[in-house]
Short mmCIF file of all heavy atoms in Angstrom, two decimals:
data_model
loop_
_atom_site.label_atom_id
_atom_site.label_comp_id
_atom_site.label_asym_id
_atom_site.label_seq_id
_atom_site.Cartn_x
_atom_site.Cartn_y
_atom_site.Cartn_z
N MET A 1 0.84 -1.20 0.00
CA MET A 1 0.00 0.00 0.00
C MET A 1 0.87 1.25 0.00
O MET A 1 1.81 1.35 0.77
CB MET A 1 -0.89 -0.02 1.25
CG MET A 1 -1.99 1.03 1.20
SD MET A 1 -3.05 0.87 2.64
CE MET A 1 -2.89 2.51 3.31
N LEU A 2 0.57 2.19 -0.87
CA LEU A 2 1.37 3.40 -0.97
C LEU A 2 0.84 4.47 -0.03
O LEU A 2 -0.37 4.62 0.14
CB LEU A 2 1.39 3.93 -2.40
CG LEU A 2 2.04 3.02 -3.45
CD1 LEU A 2 1.91 3.63 -4.83
CD2 LEU A 2 3.49 2.74 -3.12
N THR A 3 1.76 5.19 0.55
CA THR A 3 1.41 6.28 1.45
C THR A 3 2.06 7.56 0.94
O THR A 3 3.16 7.54 0.39
CB THR A 3 1.94 5.98 2.87
OG1 THR A 3 1.38 4.74 3.29
CG2 THR A 3 1.56 7.07 3.86
N TYR A 4 1.37 8.65 1.14
CA TYR A 4 1.92 9.95 0.78
C TYR A 4 2.95 10.37 1.83
O TYR A 4 2.68 10.33 3.03
CB TYR A 4 0.78 10.97 0.72
CG TYR A 4 1.22 12.39 0.55
CD1 TYR A 4 1.62 12.88 -0.68
CD2 TYR A 4 1.22 13.26 1.64
CE1 TYR A 4 2.03 14.19 -0.83
CE2 TYR A 4 1.63 14.57 1.50
CZ TYR A 4 2.04 15.04 0.26
OH TYR A 4 2.44 16.33 0.12
N TYR A 5 4.13 10.72 1.38
CA TYR A 5 5.18 11.18 2.29
C TYR A 5 5.60 12.60 1.96
O TYR A 5 5.47 13.05 0.82
CB TYR A 5 6.42 10.28 2.20
CG TYR A 5 6.26 8.95 2.90
CD1 TYR A 5 5.78 7.84 2.22
CD2 TYR A 5 6.57 8.82 4.25
CE1 TYR A 5 5.61 6.63 2.86
CE2 TYR A 5 6.40 7.61 4.89
CZ TYR A 5 5.92 6.52 4.19
OH TYR A 5 5.75 5.34 4.84
N PHE A 6 6.08 13.28 2.98
CA PHE A 6 6.61 14.64 2.80
C PHE A 6 7.72 14.84 3.81
O PHE A 6 7.87 14.05 4.75
CB PHE A 6 5.51 15.69 2.99
CG PHE A 6 4.81 15.59 4.32
CD1 PHE A 6 5.28 16.28 5.41
CD2 PHE A 6 3.67 14.80 4.46
CE1 PHE A 6 4.63 16.20 6.64
CE2 PHE A 6 3.03 14.70 5.68
CZ PHE A 6 3.51 15.40 6.77
N TYR A 7 8.52 15.87 3.62
CA TYR A 7 9.56 16.13 4.62
C TYR A 7 9.51 17.58 5.07
O TYR A 7 8.95 18.45 4.41
CB TYR A 7 10.95 15.74 4.11
CG TYR A 7 11.55 16.62 3.03
CD1 TYR A 7 12.33 17.72 3.35
CD2 TYR A 7 11.37 16.32 1.68
CE1 TYR A 7 12.91 18.51 2.37
CE2 TYR A 7 11.94 17.10 0.69
CZ TYR A 7 12.71 18.19 1.03
OH TYR A 7 13.27 18.97 0.05
N ASN A 8 10.11 17.80 6.21
CA ASN A 8 10.20 19.13 6.80
C ASN A 8 11.39 19.85 6.18
O ASN A 8 12.52 19.35 6.23
CB ASN A 8 10.39 19.00 8.32
CG ASN A 8 10.27 20.34 9.03
OD1 ASN A 8 10.44 21.40 8.43
ND2 ASN A 8 9.99 20.28 10.31
N GLN A 9 11.16 20.99 5.57
CA GLN A 9 12.26 21.71 4.94
C GLN A 9 13.22 22.29 5.99
O GLN A 9 14.35 22.65 5.66
CB GLN A 9 11.74 22.81 4.02
CG GLN A 9 11.06 23.96 4.75
CD GLN A 9 10.69 25.09 3.78
OE1 GLN A 9 11.16 25.10 2.64
NE2 GLN A 9 9.86 26.01 4.22
N ASN A 10 12.78 22.37 7.23
CA ASN A 10 13.67 22.79 8.32
C ASN A 10 14.31 21.55 8.93
O ASN A 10 13.65 20.53 9.11
CB ASN A 10 12.86 23.53 9.39
CG ASN A 10 12.18 24.76 8.82
OD1 ASN A 10 12.77 25.50 8.05
ND2 ASN A 10 10.92 24.95 9.17
N THR A 11 15.58 21.64 9.26
CA THR A 11 16.26 20.49 9.84
C THR A 11 16.02 20.42 11.34
O THR A 11 15.73 21.42 12.00
CB THR A 11 17.77 20.55 9.57
OG1 THR A 11 18.26 21.83 9.97
CG2 THR A 11 18.06 20.35 8.10
N ASP A 12 16.11 19.20 11.88
CA ASP A 12 15.93 19.01 13.32
C ASP A 12 17.24 19.26 14.06
O ASP A 12 18.23 19.73 13.48
CB ASP A 12 15.37 17.61 13.61
CG ASP A 12 16.33 16.51 13.20
OD1 ASP A 12 17.50 16.80 12.89
OD2 ASP A 12 15.91 15.34 13.21
N ALA A 13 17.26 18.94 15.35
CA ALA A 13 18.42 19.22 16.18
C ALA A 13 19.67 18.48 15.72
O ALA A 13 20.80 18.92 15.97
CB ALA A 13 18.10 18.86 17.63
N LYS A 14 19.46 17.36 15.03
CA LYS A 14 20.60 16.57 14.52
C LYS A 14 21.02 17.00 13.12
O LYS A 14 21.91 16.41 12.52
CB LYS A 14 20.24 15.08 14.50
CG LYS A 14 20.03 14.48 15.86
CD LYS A 14 19.62 13.01 15.71
CE LYS A 14 19.20 12.42 17.05
NZ LYS A 14 18.53 11.12 16.83
N GLY A 15 20.32 18.00 12.56
CA GLY A 15 20.65 18.46 11.22
C GLY A 15 20.01 17.65 10.12
O GLY A 15 20.43 17.73 8.97
N ASN A 16 18.98 16.88 10.47
CA ASN A 16 18.31 16.05 9.48
C ASN A 16 16.93 16.60 9.14
O ASN A 16 16.26 17.20 9.99
CB ASN A 16 18.14 14.62 10.00
CG ASN A 16 19.46 13.91 10.16
OD1 ASN A 16 20.35 14.04 9.32
ND2 ASN A 16 19.59 13.16 11.23
N HIS A 17 16.51 16.33 7.91
CA HIS A 17 15.13 16.60 7.51
C HIS A 17 14.29 15.38 7.87
O HIS A 17 14.53 14.28 7.38
CB HIS A 17 15.04 16.84 6.00
CG HIS A 17 15.78 18.06 5.53
ND1 HIS A 17 15.29 19.33 5.68
CD2 HIS A 17 16.98 18.19 4.91
CE1 HIS A 17 16.15 20.19 5.17
NE2 HIS A 17 17.19 19.53 4.70
N GLN A 18 13.31 15.57 8.72
CA GLN A 18 12.45 14.46 9.11
C GLN A 18 11.41 14.19 8.02
O GLN A 18 10.75 15.10 7.54
CB GLN A 18 11.72 14.81 10.42
CG GLN A 18 12.62 14.81 11.64
CD GLN A 18 12.80 13.42 12.22
OE1 GLN A 18 11.85 12.64 12.30
NE2 GLN A 18 14.02 13.10 12.64
N VAL A 19 11.29 12.91 7.65
CA VAL A 19 10.32 12.49 6.64
C VAL A 19 9.08 11.95 7.36
O VAL A 19 9.18 11.08 8.22
CB VAL A 19 10.92 11.41 5.72
CG1 VAL A 19 9.88 10.85 4.77
CG2 VAL A 19 12.09 12.01 4.93
N HIS A 20 7.93 12.49 7.00
CA HIS A 20 6.68 12.15 7.68
C HIS A 20 5.63 11.63 6.71
O HIS A 20 5.67 11.92 5.52
CB HIS A 20 6.07 13.40 8.33
CG HIS A 20 6.89 14.00 9.42
ND1 HIS A 20 6.87 13.54 10.70
CD2 HIS A 20 7.75 15.04 9.40
CE1 HIS A 20 7.68 14.29 11.44
NE2 HIS A 20 8.24 15.19 10.68
N ALA A 21 4.67 10.94 7.28
CA ALA A 21 3.43 10.60 6.59
C ALA A 21 2.31 11.46 7.20
O ALA A 21 2.49 12.03 8.28
CB ALA A 21 3.12 9.11 6.77
N PRO A 22 1.17 11.55 6.52
CA PRO A 22 0.07 12.36 7.07
C PRO A 22 -0.41 11.84 8.43
O PRO A 22 -0.17 10.69 8.78
CB PRO A 22 -1.04 12.21 6.03
CG PRO A 22 -0.34 11.84 4.79
CD PRO A 22 0.85 11.02 5.20
N ASP A 23 -1.07 12.70 9.17
CA ASP A 23 -1.65 12.38 10.47
C ASP A 23 -0.61 12.22 11.56
O ASP A 23 -0.90 11.70 12.63
CB ASP A 23 -2.52 11.11 10.42
CG ASP A 23 -3.64 11.24 9.41
OD1 ASP A 23 -4.12 12.37 9.22
OD2 ASP A 23 -4.02 10.22 8.83
N CYS A 24 0.63 12.60 11.28
CA CYS A 24 1.67 12.48 12.30
C CYS A 24 1.52 13.58 13.34
O CYS A 24 1.31 14.74 13.01
CB CYS A 24 3.03 12.58 11.66
SG CYS A 24 4.36 12.51 12.86
N THR A 25 1.67 13.18 14.61
CA THR A 25 1.59 14.14 15.70
C THR A 25 2.70 15.19 15.59
O THR A 25 2.53 16.33 16.03
CB THR A 25 1.77 13.40 17.03
OG1 THR A 25 0.99 12.22 16.99
CG2 THR A 25 1.31 14.26 18.20
N TYR A 26 3.83 14.77 15.01
CA TYR A 26 5.00 15.65 14.96
C TYR A 26 5.17 16.31 13.60
O TYR A 26 6.20 16.86 13.30
CB TYR A 26 6.26 14.85 15.30
CG TYR A 26 6.20 14.26 16.66
CD1 TYR A 26 5.85 12.93 16.85
CD2 TYR A 26 6.46 15.05 17.78
CE1 TYR A 26 5.76 12.39 18.12
CE2 TYR A 26 6.38 14.52 19.04
CZ TYR A 26 6.03 13.19 19.21
OH TYR A 26 5.93 12.66 20.47
N SER A 27 4.15 16.20 12.76
CA SER A 27 4.31 16.76 11.44
C SER A 27 4.41 18.28 11.52
O SER A 27 3.75 18.92 12.34
CB SER A 27 3.18 16.29 10.53
OG SER A 27 2.19 17.23 10.43
N PRO A 28 5.25 18.86 10.67
CA PRO A 28 5.47 20.31 10.72
C PRO A 28 4.32 21.09 10.13
O PRO A 28 3.38 20.51 9.58
CB PRO A 28 6.74 20.47 9.87
CG PRO A 28 6.71 19.32 8.93
CD PRO A 28 6.06 18.18 9.67
N GLU A 29 4.38 22.40 10.23
CA GLU A 29 3.40 23.26 9.58
C GLU A 29 3.43 23.01 8.07
O GLU A 29 4.49 22.74 7.50
CB GLU A 29 3.73 24.74 9.85
CG GLU A 29 3.70 25.13 11.31
CD GLU A 29 2.31 25.03 11.91
OE1 GLU A 29 1.33 25.28 11.17
OE2 GLU A 29 2.18 24.69 13.09
N VAL A 30 2.26 23.10 7.46
CA VAL A 30 2.15 22.78 6.03
C VAL A 30 3.13 23.60 5.19
O VAL A 30 3.74 23.09 4.24
CB VAL A 30 0.71 23.02 5.53
CG1 VAL A 30 0.61 22.81 4.02
CG2 VAL A 30 -0.25 22.09 6.24
N GLU A 31 3.31 24.86 5.54
CA GLU A 31 4.19 25.71 4.72
C GLU A 31 5.66 25.31 4.85
O GLU A 31 6.49 25.76 4.07
CB GLU A 31 4.01 27.19 5.07
CG GLU A 31 4.30 27.54 6.51
CD GLU A 31 3.04 27.58 7.37
OE1 GLU A 31 2.10 26.81 7.09
OE2 GLU A 31 3.01 28.37 8.33
N ASP A 32 5.97 24.45 5.82
CA ASP A 32 7.35 23.99 5.99
C ASP A 32 7.59 22.62 5.36
O ASP A 32 8.66 22.04 5.52
CB ASP A 32 7.69 23.90 7.48
CG ASP A 32 7.84 25.28 8.09
OD1 ASP A 32 8.19 26.23 7.36
OD2 ASP A 32 7.59 25.42 9.29
N THR A 33 6.58 22.09 4.66
CA THR A 33 6.73 20.73 4.14
C THR A 33 6.98 20.73 2.64
O THR A 33 6.51 21.60 1.91
CB THR A 33 5.47 19.88 4.40
OG1 THR A 33 4.36 20.46 3.73
CG2 THR A 33 5.19 19.78 5.88
N ILE A 34 7.75 19.74 2.19
CA ILE A 34 8.01 19.51 0.77
C ILE A 34 7.47 18.12 0.44
O ILE A 34 7.83 17.14 1.11
CB ILE A 34 9.52 19.54 0.47
CG1 ILE A 34 10.18 20.80 1.02
CG2 ILE A 34 9.75 19.39 -1.05
CD1 ILE A 34 9.86 22.08 0.30
N ALA A 35 6.61 18.03 -0.56
CA ALA A 35 5.99 16.76 -0.92
C ALA A 35 6.99 15.81 -1.56
O ALA A 35 7.86 16.22 -2.34
CB ALA A 35 4.83 17.00 -1.88
N LEU A 36 6.88 14.54 -1.22
CA LEU A 36 7.72 13.50 -1.83
C LEU A 36 6.90 12.54 -2.68
O LEU A 36 7.45 11.70 -3.38
CB LEU A 36 8.45 12.71 -0.74
CG LEU A 36 9.53 13.48 0.00
CD1 LEU A 36 10.03 12.68 1.18
CD2 LEU A 36 10.68 13.84 -0.93
N GLY A 37 5.58 12.62 -2.59
CA GLY A 37 4.72 11.74 -3.37
C GLY A 37 4.43 10.43 -2.66
O GLY A 37 4.70 10.28 -1.47
N MET A 38 3.91 9.47 -3.44
CA MET A 38 3.47 8.20 -2.87
C MET A 38 4.60 7.18 -2.86
O MET A 38 5.27 6.97 -3.89
CB MET A 38 2.31 7.64 -3.70
CG MET A 38 1.14 8.60 -3.89
SD MET A 38 0.32 9.01 -2.34
CE MET A 38 -0.58 7.49 -2.04
N HIS A 39 4.80 6.56 -1.71
CA HIS A 39 5.87 5.56 -1.57
C HIS A 39 5.39 4.41 -0.69
O HIS A 39 4.49 4.58 0.13
CB HIS A 39 7.12 6.20 -0.97
CG HIS A 39 7.70 7.25 -1.86
ND1 HIS A 39 8.47 6.97 -2.95
CD2 HIS A 39 7.56 8.60 -1.84
CE1 HIS A 39 8.80 8.10 -3.57
NE2 HIS A 39 8.26 9.11 -2.92
N ALA A 40 6.05 3.27 -0.86
CA ALA A 40 5.65 2.07 -0.11
C ALA A 40 6.04 2.17 1.36
O ALA A 40 5.37 1.62 2.22
CB ALA A 40 6.28 0.84 -0.73
N ASN A 41 7.13 2.87 1.65
CA ASN A 41 7.58 3.01 3.03
C ASN A 41 8.53 4.20 3.13
O ASN A 41 8.92 4.78 2.11
CB ASN A 41 8.26 1.72 3.53
CG ASN A 41 9.35 1.25 2.58
OD1 ASN A 41 10.24 2.03 2.23
ND2 ASN A 41 9.27 0.01 2.15
N SER A 42 8.91 4.54 4.37
CA SER A 42 9.72 5.74 4.56
C SER A 42 11.12 5.57 3.97
O SER A 42 11.74 6.54 3.54
CB SER A 42 9.80 6.07 6.05
OG SER A 42 10.36 4.99 6.77
N LYS A 43 11.61 4.32 3.91
CA LYS A 43 12.93 4.09 3.32
C LYS A 43 12.93 4.48 1.85
O LYS A 43 13.84 5.15 1.36
CB LYS A 43 13.29 2.60 3.49
CG LYS A 43 14.75 2.31 3.27
CD LYS A 43 15.02 0.83 3.53
CE LYS A 43 16.38 0.44 2.96
NZ LYS A 43 16.56 -1.02 2.97
N GLU A 44 11.89 4.07 1.15
CA GLU A 44 11.78 4.44 -0.26
C GLU A 44 11.59 5.95 -0.42
O GLU A 44 12.12 6.56 -1.34
CB GLU A 44 10.60 3.72 -0.92
CG GLU A 44 10.91 2.30 -1.30
CD GLU A 44 9.81 1.67 -2.16
OE1 GLU A 44 8.94 2.40 -2.66
OE2 GLU A 44 9.85 0.44 -2.30
N ALA A 45 10.81 6.53 0.47
CA ALA A 45 10.58 7.97 0.42
C ALA A 45 11.89 8.73 0.62
O ALA A 45 12.15 9.74 -0.04
CB ALA A 45 9.56 8.37 1.48
N ILE A 46 12.73 8.22 1.51
CA ILE A 46 14.02 8.86 1.78
C ILE A 46 14.95 8.70 0.58
O ILE A 46 15.65 9.64 0.18
CB ILE A 46 14.66 8.29 3.07
CG1 ILE A 46 13.89 8.85 4.27
CG2 ILE A 46 16.13 8.64 3.16
CD1 ILE A 46 14.26 8.21 5.59
N GLN A 47 14.95 7.51 -0.03
CA GLN A 47 15.77 7.31 -1.23
C GLN A 47 15.36 8.28 -2.32
O GLN A 47 16.19 8.85 -3.03
CB GLN A 47 15.64 5.87 -1.72
CG GLN A 47 16.41 4.88 -0.85
CD GLN A 47 16.13 3.44 -1.23
OE1 GLN A 47 15.20 3.14 -1.98
NE2 GLN A 47 16.93 2.53 -0.72
N TYR A 48 14.04 8.47 -2.46
CA TYR A 48 13.53 9.41 -3.44
C TYR A 48 13.97 10.84 -3.09
O TYR A 48 14.41 11.60 -3.95
CB TYR A 48 12.01 9.32 -3.50
CG TYR A 48 11.39 10.32 -4.45
CD1 TYR A 48 11.29 10.04 -5.80
CD2 TYR A 48 10.94 11.55 -3.97
CE1 TYR A 48 10.74 10.98 -6.67
CE2 TYR A 48 10.40 12.48 -4.83
CZ TYR A 48 10.29 12.20 -6.19
OH TYR A 48 9.76 13.13 -7.03
N ALA A 49 13.86 11.18 -1.82
CA ALA A 49 14.22 12.53 -1.37
C ALA A 49 15.70 12.81 -1.63
O ALA A 49 16.07 13.90 -2.07
CB ALA A 49 13.91 12.68 0.12
N GLU A 50 16.54 11.80 -1.41
CA GLU A 50 17.98 11.97 -1.64
C GLU A 50 18.27 12.20 -3.11
O GLU A 50 19.08 13.05 -3.48
CB GLU A 50 18.74 10.75 -1.10
CG GLU A 50 18.75 10.69 0.41
CD GLU A 50 19.42 9.45 0.95
OE1 GLU A 50 19.70 8.51 0.17
OE2 GLU A 50 19.67 9.42 2.17
N ALA A 51 17.60 11.42 -3.97
CA ALA A 51 17.79 11.57 -5.41
C ALA A 51 17.24 12.91 -5.90
O ALA A 51 17.81 13.57 -6.76
CB ALA A 51 17.11 10.42 -6.16
N PHE A 52 16.12 13.31 -5.31
CA PHE A 52 15.40 14.51 -5.72
C PHE A 52 16.17 15.78 -5.34
O PHE A 52 16.23 16.74 -6.10
CB PHE A 52 14.03 14.47 -5.04
CG PHE A 52 13.11 15.62 -5.36
CD1 PHE A 52 12.63 15.82 -6.64
CD2 PHE A 52 12.69 16.47 -4.35
CE1 PHE A 52 11.78 16.87 -6.93
CE2 PHE A 52 11.83 17.52 -4.63
CZ PHE A 52 11.37 17.72 -5.93
N THR A 53 16.78 15.77 -4.16
CA THR A 53 17.42 16.98 -3.65
C THR A 53 18.93 16.94 -3.74
O THR A 53 19.58 17.98 -3.65
CB THR A 53 17.06 17.19 -2.16
OG1 THR A 53 17.60 16.10 -1.41
CG2 THR A 53 15.56 17.26 -1.95
N GLY A 54 19.52 15.75 -3.86
CA GLY A 54 20.97 15.63 -3.85
C GLY A 54 21.55 15.71 -2.45
O GLY A 54 22.77 15.68 -2.27
N LYS A 55 20.68 15.79 -1.44
CA LYS A 55 21.15 15.81 -0.05
C LYS A 55 21.06 14.40 0.54
O LYS A 55 20.35 13.53 0.02
CB LYS A 55 20.27 16.73 0.80
CG LYS A 55 20.26 18.18 0.36
CD LYS A 55 19.38 18.96 1.33
CE LYS A 55 19.08 20.36 0.84
NZ LYS A 55 18.15 21.06 1.74
N THR A 56 21.74 14.18 1.63
CA THR A 56 21.69 12.85 2.25
C THR A 56 21.25 12.91 3.71
O THR A 56 21.27 11.91 4.42
CB THR A 56 23.08 12.17 2.20
OG1 THR A 56 24.03 13.04 2.80
CG2 THR A 56 23.49 11.86 0.77
N ASN A 57 20.86 14.09 4.16
CA ASN A 57 20.50 14.24 5.57
C ASN A 57 18.99 14.14 5.79
O ASN A 57 18.34 15.08 6.24
CB ASN A 57 21.05 15.57 6.13
CG ASN A 57 20.58 16.77 5.33
OD1 ASN A 57 20.34 16.69 4.14
ND2 ASN A 57 20.43 17.89 6.01
N PHE A 58 18.45 12.96 5.46
CA PHE A 58 17.05 12.70 5.74
C PHE A 58 16.94 11.60 6.78
O PHE A 58 17.78 10.70 6.85
CB PHE A 58 16.31 12.28 4.47
CG PHE A 58 16.20 13.40 3.46
CD1 PHE A 58 17.15 13.52 2.47
CD2 PHE A 58 15.18 14.32 3.54
CE1 PHE A 58 17.07 14.56 1.54
CE2 PHE A 58 15.09 15.36 2.62
CZ PHE A 58 16.04 15.48 1.62
N ASP A 59 15.88 11.67 7.56
CA ASP A 59 15.69 10.69 8.62
C ASP A 59 14.19 10.41 8.73
O ASP A 59 13.38 11.33 8.62
CB ASP A 59 16.21 11.26 9.94
CG ASP A 59 16.39 10.18 10.98
OD1 ASP A 59 16.40 8.99 10.61
OD2 ASP A 59 16.50 10.53 12.17
N SER A 60 13.84 9.13 8.89
CA SER A 60 12.42 8.82 9.02
C SER A 60 11.94 9.20 10.42
O SER A 60 12.65 9.04 11.40
CB SER A 60 12.16 7.35 8.73
OG SER A 60 12.90 6.55 9.62
N CYS A 61 10.73 9.68 10.48
CA CYS A 61 10.13 10.06 11.75
C CYS A 61 9.76 8.80 12.52
O CYS A 61 9.06 7.92 12.01
CB CYS A 61 8.89 10.90 11.47
SG CYS A 61 7.85 11.15 12.90
N ALA A 62 10.22 8.69 13.75
CA ALA A 62 9.96 7.49 14.55
C ALA A 62 8.46 7.31 14.81
O ALA A 62 7.96 6.19 14.84
CB ALA A 62 10.70 7.59 15.88
N CYS A 63 7.77 8.40 14.94
CA CYS A 63 6.33 8.34 15.19
C CYS A 63 5.60 7.74 13.99
O CYS A 63 4.78 6.83 14.13
CB CYS A 63 5.81 9.74 15.47
SG CYS A 63 4.02 9.84 15.60
N CYS A 64 5.92 8.22 12.80
CA CYS A 64 5.28 7.69 11.59
C CYS A 64 5.66 6.22 11.41
O CYS A 64 4.83 5.40 11.05
CB CYS A 64 5.73 8.47 10.36
SG CYS A 64 5.21 10.18 10.35
N TRP A 65 6.91 5.91 11.62
CA TRP A 65 7.38 4.55 11.41
C TRP A 65 6.63 3.59 12.32
O TRP A 65 6.18 2.53 11.90
CB TRP A 65 8.88 4.47 11.70
CG TRP A 65 9.45 3.13 11.38
CD1 TRP A 65 9.86 2.70 10.16
CD2 TRP A 65 9.63 2.04 12.29
NE1 TRP A 65 10.29 1.40 10.26
CE2 TRP A 65 10.16 0.97 11.55
CE3 TRP A 65 9.38 1.87 13.65
CZ2 TRP A 65 10.45 -0.26 12.13
CZ3 TRP A 65 9.68 0.64 14.23
CH2 TRP A 65 10.20 -0.40 13.47
N THR A 66 6.46 3.99 13.56
CA THR A 66 5.76 3.15 14.52
C THR A 66 4.33 2.90 14.08
O THR A 66 3.83 1.79 14.13
CB THR A 66 5.78 3.81 15.90
OG1 THR A 66 7.13 4.04 16.26
CG2 THR A 66 5.12 2.93 16.95
N LYS A 67 3.68 3.96 13.64
CA LYS A 67 2.27 3.85 13.27
C LYS A 67 2.08 3.05 12.00
O LYS A 67 1.17 2.25 11.88
CB LYS A 67 1.68 5.26 13.07
CG LYS A 67 1.14 5.81 14.34
CD LYS A 67 0.38 7.12 14.25
CE LYS A 67 0.10 7.73 12.93
NZ LYS A 67 -0.48 9.08 13.08
N LEU A 68 2.94 3.31 10.99
CA LEU A 68 2.67 2.79 9.64
C LEU A 68 3.37 1.48 9.35
O LEU A 68 2.83 0.63 8.66
CB LEU A 68 3.17 3.78 8.61
CG LEU A 68 2.30 5.01 8.36
CD1 LEU A 68 3.07 5.97 7.46
CD2 LEU A 68 1.01 4.62 7.72
N GLU A 69 4.59 1.32 9.83
CA GLU A 69 5.43 0.28 9.27
C GLU A 69 5.83 -0.80 10.26
O GLU A 69 6.29 -1.86 9.85
CB GLU A 69 6.70 0.91 8.68
CG GLU A 69 6.36 1.77 7.48
CD GLU A 69 7.52 2.66 7.04
OE1 GLU A 69 8.68 2.26 7.23
OE2 GLU A 69 7.27 3.76 6.53
N LYS A 70 5.65 -0.55 11.53
CA LYS A 70 6.08 -1.54 12.51
C LYS A 70 5.33 -2.85 12.29
O LYS A 70 5.90 -3.93 12.34
CB LYS A 70 5.82 -1.00 13.92
CG LYS A 70 6.63 -1.70 14.98
CD LYS A 70 6.46 -1.02 16.33
CE LYS A 70 7.28 -1.70 17.39
NZ LYS A 70 7.06 -1.06 18.69
N SER A 71 4.04 -2.75 12.01
CA SER A 71 3.22 -3.93 11.82
C SER A 71 3.59 -4.68 10.54
O SER A 71 3.31 -5.87 10.42
CB SER A 71 1.75 -3.57 11.81
OG SER A 71 1.52 -2.62 10.78
N GLN A 72 4.21 -3.95 9.58
CA GLN A 72 4.58 -4.58 8.32
C GLN A 72 5.98 -5.17 8.37
O GLN A 72 6.36 -5.92 7.48
CB GLN A 72 4.55 -3.56 7.18
CG GLN A 72 3.19 -2.89 6.98
CD GLN A 72 3.29 -1.70 6.02
OE1 GLN A 72 4.25 -1.56 5.31
NE2 GLN A 72 2.27 -0.86 6.04
N ALA A 73 6.77 -4.79 9.36
CA ALA A 73 8.18 -5.17 9.40
C ALA A 73 8.33 -6.66 9.68
O ALA A 73 7.47 -7.27 10.30
CB ALA A 73 8.91 -4.35 10.45
ZN1 ZN B 1 6.13 11.85 11.69
#
């Protein structure tokens, strides 16, 4: 199942862009988000983000991962 992913254009305390899915408690303000499109999981979304931006400082949001992917792991 594909999920819409986006990332926070502002970096977190570790200098990473957090990648989120919708309905996340920790999701940033809409104006701070960059869409990544539909992906099977956050790992794929991050790979896409790295290719799309040329940056490598992306990190999956633990909250989203727990909600969406833990049961699939
Ligand atoms: Zn999140």
Side-chain angles (χ1 to χ4, degrees):
M1 192 176 122
L2 296 177
T3 302
Y4 172 78
Y5 284 91
F6 56 89
Y7 72 90
N8 189 339
Q9 68 174 347
N10 301 317
T11 51
D12 64 11
K14 294 178 189 167
N16 293 320
H17 295 282
Q18 288 276 319
V19 174
H20 296 277
D23 302 328
C24 177
T25 316
Y26 300 99
S27 98
E29 298 295 327
V30 175
E31 60 264 32
D32 288 333
T33 62
I34 309 288
L36 291 171
M38 306 296 285
H39 296 281
N41 52 53
S42 58
K43 196 177 165 191
E44 280 189 14
I46 286 171
Q47 285 173 347
Y48 177 85
E50 289 177 348
F52 181 65
T53 64
K55 299 182 191 176
T56 55
N57 56 330
F58 292 93
D59 196 16
S60 58
C61 168
C63 173
C64 295
W65 185 84
T66 303
K67 271 187 5 187
L68 283 171
E69 294 167 30
K70 200 173 181 182
S71 57
Q72 301 169 16

